[in-house]
Amino acid sequence: MGGSDLFVGTLDVLILKAVSQGRMHGYAIGRWIRQTTKDALTVQEGALYPALHRLERKGLLEEDWGVSETGREAKYYKITATGRRRLRSEAARWKEYADAVALALAAGEA
Amino acid sequence: MGGSDLFVGTLDVLILKAVSQGRMHGYAIGRWIRQTTKDALTVQEGALYPALHRLERKGLLEEDWGVSETGREAKYYKITATGRRRLRSEAARWKEYADAVALALAAGEA
DNA sequence: GCCTTATACCTTGACCACTTAGGTATCGCG
DNA sequence: CGCGATACCTAAGTGGTCAAGGTATAAGGC
């Protein structure tokens, strides 16, 4: 199994990161997230596809159709310049946030 | 300002942690979170109070009225045994999650 | 030939935590 | 007396995620 629920708000930055690694189609993005987190994070398709459309609408991703490694039709995503900037800021935001939570959760430990 | 939006789902564990440090009233819990995270996290009251009621309903916190340091009526919260167990599991879950995200966001950095 | 699994896309409904924006009341300070 | 801090609360709206469906093709087992 692996892969409990996502903390709302982290999906976008994960997607941006995945696509920043190179042109990738939706299904592969889900797989990328699962694999690079060693099965710790599993993205539901009902969250993934709406998120992709959202990011595309915001101009952070660009889409075009292509053929996957297995020879099927697939919608490929590419990160835009705006998307790359957003990735940087969101990743920084995440880091600050995670550090802050870690700080709080470590409180009281002499 | 400091303190941008919370990532949904982290508030409960922060509250549990705060109260695990000792009997505390709601307003002080908000302050505790802000201070221990060095102003990185600010909890809106519209999120804080509902969360406290939620945790109390779930039996993770117990409440009773008392008098604050400044001499006012205040509703004090105490963590229950169940709450302490939940704190441990949620803190562990958070750590796994944060590690997983960090892993993903670090991908591709030789 | 069939069935399952994996690939690859999608949508709809419901939930629920959070934001925004109010509200009440008391106290101390200038 | 007004203002900020303390201390509690709620209601409406937003919006991301989950659960659960759906379509279609390809590969592999039996």
Side-chain angles (χ1 to χ4, degrees), chain B residues 30-49:
Chain B
R31 199 170 40 205
W32 184 92
I33 292 174
R34 191 166 7 95
Q35 287 173 353
T36 61
T37 62
K38 297 180 174 129
D39 282 20
L41 270 55
T42 300
V43 184
Q44 309 297 328
E45 299 197 345
L48 177 62
Y49 291 109

Side-chain angles (χ1 to χ4, degrees), chain A residues 2-24:
Chain A
S4 45
D5 301 357
L6 288 174
F7 283 65
V8 178
T10 49
L11 180 53
D12 289 13
V13 72
L14 289 171
I15 292 175
L16 289 172
K17 178 69 189 184
V19 181
S20 81
Q21 303 290 99
R23 207 174 107 102
M24 214 179 286

Side-chain angles (χ1 to χ4, degrees), chain B residues 18-77:
Chain B
V19 181
S20 81
Q21 303 289 98
R23 205 175 109 103
M24 214 179 286
H25 59 79
Y27 196 81
I29 293 170
R31 199 170 40 205
W32 184 92
I33 292 174
R34 191 166 7 95
Q35 287 173 353
T36 61
T37 62
K38 297 180 174 129
D39 282 20
L41 270 55
T42 300
V43 184
Q44 309 297 328
E45 299 197 345
L48 177 62
Y49 291 109
L52 289 170
H53 303 158
R54 200 162 62 226
L55 295 172
E56 201 272 333
R57 264 201 317 279
K58 289 183 187 166
L60 308 177
L61 296 181
E62 272 172 9
E63 45 180 52
D64 67 311
W65 287 93
V67 177
S68 80
E69 321 80 50
T70 60
R72 298 156 191 228
E73 292 266 301
K75 197 189 273 179
Y76 277 84
Y77 290 92

